[in-house]
Amino acid sequence: MIIFNLSNYNPGPFILMGIPGLEQFHVWIGIPFCIIYIVAVMGNCILLYLIAVERSLHEPMFFFLSMLAMTDLILSTTTMPKTLSIFWLGAREITFPGCLTQMFFLHFSTALDSAILMAMAFDRYVAICSPLRYTTILTPKTIIKIVMGIAFRSFCIILPAVFLLTRLPFCRIRIIPHTYCEHIGVARLACADISINIWFGFCVPVMTATSDVILIAVSYTLILCAVFHLPSREARQKALGTCGSHVCVILMFYTPAFFSILAHRFGHNISRTFHIMFANLYIVIPPALNPIVYGVKTKQIRDKVIHLFSTKGTE
C-alpha cells in the first residue's frame, strides 16, 4: 500500500537553485548570458527572415539551415528565460509538468540539432559527389520525408525519458542544483531505484550522437575523396568552401556535447559549479554562433545580410 501511494504521488513544485556556490554573483552572471541569448535570437531570426524572403536561398541546403535555426531558437528559449528569471528575480519554483515540458523540449531540440547536422552532411555529399543529380535527388518531397523522419526519430528518442520520470515517486526535498530541468537531475531526486533512468540517460544520447557522427564522418570521407579527384585547385577550394561553415557548426555542437555526456557519467572529480556553468554555455553559445558562422562563411547569406542592412541604412 505504501509503494502504491508513492507511485501515485503527485509532486509539488521543484526548486531550481541556479548555480550553487555562486548565488551572490547571479545578477552579474545573468548579464553575459542575456547578451548571448539576445544575439542567438536576433541572429537566428535574421537568418530565418532572409531564407524566407530571398528566392535565391530557396534551396535544400538553406531549408535545412532554417530548420537548424528554428531548433536553436527552441533550444535556447526553453531554458534561458527561466535561467535569467532565477538569476535576476529569484523565481526558482517550477511545477512538475513545467519541469517535464522544459526537459522534453531541451532534449528533443538537442537530438533534433544532431539529426539536422546529419541531414546537412548528406546534402553536402549529394551536392559535391552528384552535382548533376542534386535537384532530382533532393526534391521537395524527399526533403519533407527527411524532415519528418528526423523529427519523429528525435521525438521517439526523448519521449521515454518523460515516462521514466512520471513513474518515479518524489518523496524527498525537491531541490534541483541547476538552472533548468534535465532528465538525470530530476531523476536523482526520486526515492526509488533510478538505474533505468541512468542507463537510458547515458546510452541513448551516446548511441544517437555516435551514429550521427559516424554517418557525418562517412559523408565527409566520400566528399573529400570526390574533392581530391577534381581537376583544378580552384574547383577543390570552391567545393571545400561550401562545407566550411557546416564543419565549424559540427565541431561547435559535438565537441562540448560529448564532453558534457562523458563528464556527467565519469567526471566525478569535476566540480558541480563547472558542470552547471558549462551546461548553460552549451545551451546558448552554439545557437548564438551558428548564424554568425554561416553569415561569415556562406557567400549567399553574407551578401544578403550586407544588402539587408545597407538598404535599411540608406532609407
Side-chain angles (χ1 to χ4, degrees):
M1 182 63 69
I2 294 174
I3 295 174
F4 176 80
N5 288 337
L6 283 175
S7 63
N8 289 275
Y9 180 65
N10 184 23
F14 287 77
I15 306 297
L16 294 167
M17 294 302 295
I19 305 177
L22 297 178
E23 290 85 355
Q24 66 271 32
F25 302 112
H26 274 179
V27 174
W28 302 106
I29 293 173
I31 294 173
F33 278 111
C34 181
I35 294 171
I36 298 171
Y37 175 61
I38 291 172
V39 171
V41 171
M42 290 182 62
N44 285 291
C45 286
I46 291 172
L47 202 57
L48 287 169
Y49 171 77
L50 289 174
I51 294 172
V53 301
E54 294 292 341
R55 294 186 62 85
S56 61
L57 299 181
H58 292 179
E59 299 176 7
M61 170 186 171
F62 297 108
F63 180 81
F64 289 127
L65 181 55
S66 66
M67 192 176 175
L68 181 68
M70 286 188 286
T71 308
D72 281 344
L73 283 173
I74 295 171
L75 176 62
S76 54
T77 303
T78 295
T79 58
M80 200 45 56
K82 181 61 180 177
T83 298
L84 294 176
S85 70
I86 295 169
F87 287 162
W88 290 343
L89 304 176
R92 298 181 175 182
E93 283 195 2
I94 184 170
T95 63
F96 185 59
C99 194
L100 290 179
T101 302
Q102 186 185 56
M103 184 212 72
F104 173 80
F105 281 104
L106 169 69
H107 295 310
F108 171 76
S109 54
T110 303
L112 189 56
D113 260 346
S114 179
I116 293 169
L117 292 175
M118 178 180 63
M120 294 174 78
F122 174 70
D123 168 81
R124 290 299 84 203
Y125 162 74
V126 176
I128 293 174
C129 297
S130 301
L132 299 179
R133 300 175 58 205
Y134 182 71
T135 54
T136 57
I137 294 175
L138 287 174
T139 61
K141 188 176 180 180
T142 302
I143 293 171
I144 291 172
K145 288 181 180 179
I146 292 173
V147 170
M148 291 180 65
I150 61 178
F152 182 71
R153 189 200 75 162
S154 302
F155 179 83
C156 292
I157 288 171
I158 303 306
L159 189 62
V162 177
F163 289 107
L164 286 174
L165 287 179
T166 55
R167 74 179 181 86
L168 293 174
F170 295 91
C171 49
R172 300 174 184 169
I173 298 174
R174 296 176 293 275
I175 297 177
I176 302 175
H178 212 308
T179 57
Y180 56 78
C181 296
E182 49 93 20
H183 175 222
I184 297 300
V186 177
R188 284 182 176 142
L189 300 179
C191 46
D193 182 23
I194 61 168
S195 300
I196 297 176
N197 298 75
I198 291 173
W199 284 108
F200 180 88
F202 174 70
C203 293
V204 171
V206 168
M207 288 189 296
T208 303
T210 301
S211 62
D212 290 347
V213 167
I214 289 173
L215 291 172
I216 291 171
V218 170
S219 297
Y220 272 95
T221 301
L222 296 173
I223 287 170
L224 289 174
C225 291
V227 167
F228 288 124
H229 282 89
L230 291 175
S232 67
R233 181 179 179 182
E234 183 180 349
R236 290 194 293 269
Q237 288 179 340
K238 184 178 179 181
L240 290 174
T242 63
C243 301
S245 53
H246 186 225
V247 171
C248 290
V249 170
I250 288 171
L251 293 175
M252 287 191 303
F253 179 82
Y254 284 112
T255 303
F258 277 109
F259 175 83
S260 181
I261 292 170
L262 295 174
H264 271 287
R265 188 68 181 88
F266 303 108
H268 303 296
N269 295 325
I270 301 176
S271 70
R272 178 186 293 177
T273 301
F274 177 82
H275 273 299
I276 297 171
M277 187 70 77
F278 184 85
N280 279 279
L281 291 172
Y282 174 64
I283 291 299
V284 73
I285 285 183
L289 291 181
N290 287 350
I292 295 174
V293 169
Y294 274 101
V296 171
K297 287 188 169 290
T298 307
K299 187 178 185 300
Q300 298 101 309
I301 295 177
R302 184 171 66 247
D303 292 343
K304 298 302 178 184
V305 170
I306 293 172
H307 177 72
L308 175 66
F309 286 100
S310 62
T311 303
K312 287 187 176 182
T314 56
E315 289 178 355

